[in-house]
Amino acid sequence: MKQTYLGPTGLVVSELCLGTMTFGGTADLDTSRAIVGRFRDAGGTFFDTADVYTGGRSEELLGEILGADRDDVVIATKAYGATGDGVNDRSASRRHLVRAVDASLTRLGTDWIDLYQLHRFDATTPLEETLSTLEDLVRAGKVLHVGVSNFLGWQLERAVRLQEMAGYDPFVSLQPQYSLIERKIELETLPAARANGMAVLAWSPLAAGFLTGKYARGEPPAEGRFARWVDDTSDQGWATLDAVRDIADAAGVQPATVAIAWLRARPDVVPIVGATRPDQLDATLAAADMTLEPAALTRLDEVSAPAQGYPYDFPPDSGRPGRDLP
Ligand SMILES: NC(=O)c1ccc[n+]([C@@H]2O[C@H](COP(=O)([O-])OP(=O)(O)OC[C@H]3O[C@@H](n4cnc5c(N)ncnc54)[C@H](OP(=O)(O)O)[C@@H]3O)[C@@H](O)[C@H]2O)c1
């Protein structure tokens, strides 16, 4: 697996990240160990978790499994979600973040977190309070870089401008849901991230398993973490899956391989692949070696394109010359 820089930083990560949300839940310790082993054998070095995954067990298992390998890998985790019942046991407030980071460090069994992400925007805490707290965590060496997840474009832009004015270390990554099934971030959030040179870490790159092709129209799903998505999936989603299947069949690979390869073809996108069993990684890790043909990319781009609507489709001013004047 190739390596890449995490956005504008000097931190080198594998071009696929392993999501560990299943660890301590549908994947027990032995299964989680086997998943990590499969990922490491393929050259993977980048891991994503969160303090709220499986009530903290995901971080604990990841720390235990990595053990002495900690120095060789990059760990991203997140804070914001409820870690207790108290009113201050959640949010991006100073009070919660300073406690949350120490709890994550303990569970992970490490002295530092490579990438510390806000799990979502906090509409109740002044952004200045959150940003100065994150800066303190960076200065204390507990956190090397900071990022965000599930932000809107304006939230991201405002945060980065405030960081710039204060001279703080900027957010270096955005972690949105992003796949051939969910592309709405391309309208606003993705351009904001790109304008700020941020890495894009795509969660649920298989739409939680839908893009493996294991679900069928009109058939009740027999298994799967997000089997309920089948009921919600639109005609466009099924048409997208048909295109993915066609391209996969022609190339002699699994649909999941095509779905991840499509994301990899987009600049600065690192897919966060998930698994409940180690063998599931065979299809997703194979994407590290697949380059989609231009015709396949065009077909996938077109069939899965997000609906635009106002103001994204507001026509450009046709009475005004373009920037490239003669
Ligand atoms: N920031 C956020 O808010 C947020 C939210 C969600 C996730 N995440 C991150 O993103 C990571 C990945 O999310 P995700 O698990 O939804 O990603 P995903 O790659 O879209 O889905 C992974 C799931 O699909 C199924 N699957 C994968 N490969 C398969 C195969 N070859 N055959 C059959 N089934 C297969 C498995 O679920 P089943 O076996 O249950 O079907 C597996 O757990 C998480 O671990 C977490 O780190 C972040």
Side-chain angles (χ1 to χ4, degrees), residues 55-315:
R57 284 294 287 155
S58 170
E59 287 186 330
E60 282 171 358
L61 293 196
L62 182 62
E64 183 178 340
I65 292 165
L66 290 173
D69 284 350
R70 168 65 184 102
D71 283 352
D72 302 329
V73 302
V74 171
I75 298 177
T77 191
K78 317 181 195 78
Y80 177 99
T83 51
D85 296 332
V87 72
N88 284 312
D89 294 339
R90 63 198 300 155
S91 83
S93 68
R94 176 169 283 266
R95 159 70 185 254
H96 179 62
L97 290 179
V98 295
R99 290 167 57 83
V101 76
D102 283 344
S104 284
L105 287 168
T106 301
R107 281 190 293 265
L108 286 162
T110 183
D111 296 330
W112 81 95
I113 290 162
D114 298 286
L115 177 64
Y116 200 50
Q117 304 158 104
L118 295 175
H119 213 146
R120 56 184 295 171
F121 185 74
D122 184 347
T124 62
T125 300
L127 199 44
E128 290 82 351
E129 175 180 330
T130 300
L131 299 178
S132 67
T133 305
L134 290 176
E135 181 66 9
D136 289 347
L137 298 183
V138 172
R139 296 291 143 233
K142 297 183 181 194
V143 165
L144 304 191
H145 299 287
V146 290
V148 298
S149 182
N150 302 313
F151 269 40
L152 303 179
W154 72 264
Q155 294 164 343
L156 190 156
E157 188 63 31
R158 178 155 180 257
V160 172
R161 293 285 79 78
L162 287 172
Q163 286 172 319
E164 189 176 63
M165 285 191 285
Y168 295 163
D169 272 25
F171 288 124
V172 298
S173 60
L174 166 72
Q175 186 179 141
Q177 185 182 354
Y178 193 29
S179 71
L180 278 163
I181 297 298
E182 182 51 76
R183 290 179 55 189
K184 286 190 286 296
I185 61 148
E186 291 179 15
L187 301 178
E188 191 82 44
T189 320
L190 198 60
R194 293 246 160 86
N196 288 290
M198 298 164 86
V200 177
L201 312 180
W203 65 260
S204 288
L206 298 177
F210 179 76
L211 287 166
T212 62
K214 68 179 176 180
Y215 302 114
R217 273 187 193 86
E219 281 180 26
E223 56 154 18
R225 185 168 61 74
F226 274 2
R228 63 183 171 79
W229 280 30
V230 172
D231 297 332
D232 299 340
T233 303
S234 62
D235 289 343
Q236 186 183 25
W238 288 110
T240 299
L241 182 58
D242 288 342
V244 169
R245 275 205 184 99
D246 287 351
I247 292 164
D249 288 348
V253 301
Q254 295 294 313
T257 310
V258 170
I260 302 293
W262 177 82
L263 276 171
R264 273 193 60 242
R266 309 180 93 67
D268 280 327
V269 175
V270 173
I272 310 176
V273 298
T276 46
R277 298 190 315 266
D279 59 281
Q280 291 181 340
L281 285 179
D282 292 348
T284 38
L285 298 183
D289 299 319
M290 182 176 200
T291 304
L292 288 168
E293 296 296 329
L297 279 174
T298 302
R299 182 171 173 201
L300 293 172
D301 285 348
E302 288 177 0
V303 70
S304 65
Q308 291 217 333
Y310 176 82
Y312 305 105
D313 58 359
F314 199 59

